[in-house]
Amino acid sequence: MVSIRYLSVSVIGPGHLLNGQPNQDSALVKRVPSGWLAVVCDGMGSKPHSDVGSKQACRAAFDVIRAVDFSIESKALIKRVYQKWLNSLGDIKASDAVTTCLIAWVSDSGKLRTFQLGDGLILTSQQITEHSDTNDFGNITTGLGKSKQFSDWQVTQQQLSLGDVIALMTDGISEDLNQGMELDFANSIVQSTKGKSIRQAKTWLKNEFRNWGTPNHTDDKTLALLVLS
């Protein structure tokens, strides 16, 4: 059975602070019966309840995945997550709570399944990823509440090994990284937080995100990082 070390941090962007808006990103990393789950969601800024949408999407993914077998068919899983999310919104219209949804589900044997709707990035130490169930061209402007097409999801699976890293990040981070340097970025955080307590690691990483190196950055920044140990 694999063990997981993890860290998740979400920091509100300067643009939202300036406008008095909430952080529209959400993240969740939790143990589930079949292994571990990480979810990162980015609410669409133009929508009035995108912060609710992203938070409920994380919760919907957890509620569904903790109750199903790891072998569930991808389309069936996504349908359940989408329905759970719709039900959780109450009186809020889905079109007012649009959010991206990035899911990484790791079994106790180290098998990884990923599901992505909308922009952001999921990466692992394994550079070659087997795509399945869908095309390779995700619609980068879509999300829950906007897309009902299974083909808009990017779905992958791969076998991981001890020491491998999984990172899920919103576009507030991924779009500012030099292409090809994404894994180096994730690995540098793993190294910089080694030996720190979770609290120390979170404090350090939040400080890094608040002092982000890209000039005039405005967006929220959210990262979930898992290491198989």
Side-chain angles (χ1 to χ4, degrees), residues 144-221:
L144 295 175
K146 191 171 182 183
S147 165
K148 294 180 181 176
Q149 301 296 320
F150 176 65
S151 58
D152 283 340
W153 288 78
Q154 297 175 61
V155 179
T156 76
Q157 61 179 32
Q158 58 185 269
Q159 181 64 47
L160 300 179
S161 305
L162 293 182
D164 279 350
V165 173
I166 308 162
L168 298 81
M169 63 188 80
T170 55
D171 64 346
I173 299 173
S174 63
E175 287 189 355
D176 286 347
L177 300 178
N178 291 327
Q179 193 168 2
M181 298 298 290
E182 298 90 350
L183 187 56
D184 289 342
F185 169 76
N187 284 330
S188 71
I189 294 173
V190 172
Q191 291 303 316
S192 297
T193 54
K194 196 170 279 186
K196 288 181 167 70
S197 68
I198 289 181
R199 185 175 177 180
Q200 289 171 331
K202 277 180 177 281
T203 299
W204 174 83
L205 191 52
K206 282 181 179 179
N207 191 53
E208 292 292 306
F209 286 172
R210 288 181 180 128
N211 296 289
W212 194 243
T214 303
N216 305 313
H217 69 99
T218 60
D219 206 1
D220 305 326
K221 290 168 183 59

Side-chain angles (χ1 to χ4, degrees), residues 109-122:
S109 63
K111 190 171 184 180
L112 171 68
R113 300 180 68 184
T114 72
F115 308 86
Q116 177 169 349
L117 180 67
D119 52 18
L121 180 67
I122 303 176

Side-chain angles (χ1 to χ4, degrees), residues 95-157:
S95 58
D96 287 338
V98 177
T99 180
T100 68
C101 189
L102 281 61
I103 299 170
W105 185 9
V106 194
S107 74
D108 282 328
S109 63
K111 190 171 184 180
L112 171 68
R113 300 180 68 184
T114 72
F115 308 86
Q116 177 169 349
L117 180 67
D119 52 18
L121 180 67
I122 303 176
L123 63 87
T124 76
S125 299
Q126 308 287 344
Q127 296 287 0
I128 299 171
T129 302
E130 177 195 341
H131 286 265
S132 58
D133 297 336
T134 183
N135 59 44
D136 292 339
F137 304 100
N139 181 343
I140 61 168
T141 60
T142 195
L144 295 175
K146 191 171 182 183
S147 165
K148 294 180 181 176
Q149 301 296 320
F150 176 65
S151 58
D152 283 340
W153 288 78
Q154 297 175 61
V155 179
T156 76
Q157 61 179 32

Side-chain angles (χ1 to χ4, degrees), residues 24-38:
Q24 290 162 349
D25 290 355
S26 292
L28 175 151
V29 181
K30 282 185 181 288
R31 186 85 169 88
V32 290
S34 55
W36 283 85
L37 174 69

